[in-house]
Amino acid sequence: MPLHRLETTAGDFAPEPISDEEGRAMLRAVFNLFGKWAITDEEGAILLDLPIRTYRRWKAGQPGRLDRDTKARLSNILGIHKALRILFTEPQRAYSWVKAPNGAFANQTALAVMLNGELTDLMRVRRYLDAERGGW
């Protein structure tokens, strides 16, 4: 039987943007997660980079247009949650981790890092957790 050459070069990666429907589902999940993390409305508004009135309106079930930055924030927050659920078998330990001092963040909590308000702050926490879990 003759050998056949296999094509092994990777094609160009072109990620699909997050749809508005997916974004709204992510938003609902993040609001539920914020409840588990015991996040205040003021903290949630900072994490999502929204005015407090807009945050409360969205939380009440009247979300507006989700822009690219908001979708990226939602994605990173859910990535943090996923990593924590992989690292901790007990859900409550995963939920309380965000408010526990951490040497990797100069003994600040992950929440304190994220509350600096930049998308890169959320990404920093997510990258740390992905590295801890051996990100795949």
Side-chain angles (χ1 to χ4, degrees):
M1 172 162 37
L3 297 177
H4 296 282
R5 187 177 247 311
L6 295 176
E7 182 60 44
T8 58
T9 56
D12 292 336
F13 177 69
E16 293 288 324
I18 297 170
S19 72
D20 290 338
E21 183 177 338
E22 291 167 329
R24 286 188 296 276
M26 291 168 64
L27 183 64
R28 289 189 302 273
V30 165
F31 284 139
N32 287 333
L33 179 60
F34 284 178
K36 304 273 188 196
W37 285 356
I39 300 292
T40 67
D41 285 356
E42 291 75 14
E43 291 168 334
I46 293 169
L47 294 174
L48 296 181
D49 194 29
L50 296 171
I52 189 70
R53 288 181 62 189
T54 302
Y55 176 86
R56 287 182 174 144
R57 187 175 69 247
W58 287 15
K59 186 178 172 185
Q62 302 168 14
R65 184 181 168 282
L66 299 174
D67 62 21
R68 195 165 122 184
D69 180 77
T70 303
K71 289 175 182 177
R73 287 171 179 275
L74 294 169
S75 176
N76 276 279
I77 292 166
L78 291 173
I80 290 166
H81 171 62
K82 176 184 173 183
L84 289 170
R85 290 303 306 267
I86 291 169
L87 288 167
F88 297 104
T89 56
E90 297 171 29
Q92 193 52 49
R93 286 189 65 199
Y95 298 139
S96 61
W97 181 88
V98 296
K99 291 189 174 182
N102 190 314
F105 305 128
N107 283 333
Q108 291 184 354
T109 67
L111 180 60
V113 171
M114 294 187 289
L115 287 175
N116 287 321
E118 298 295 328
L119 175 57
T120 53
D121 298 317
L122 297 172
M123 293 167 68
R124 177 181 173 201
V125 172
R126 183 177 182 178
R127 279 192 310 266
Y128 167 76
L129 288 168
D130 285 346
E132 284 295 306
R133 71 177 178 89
W136 53 82

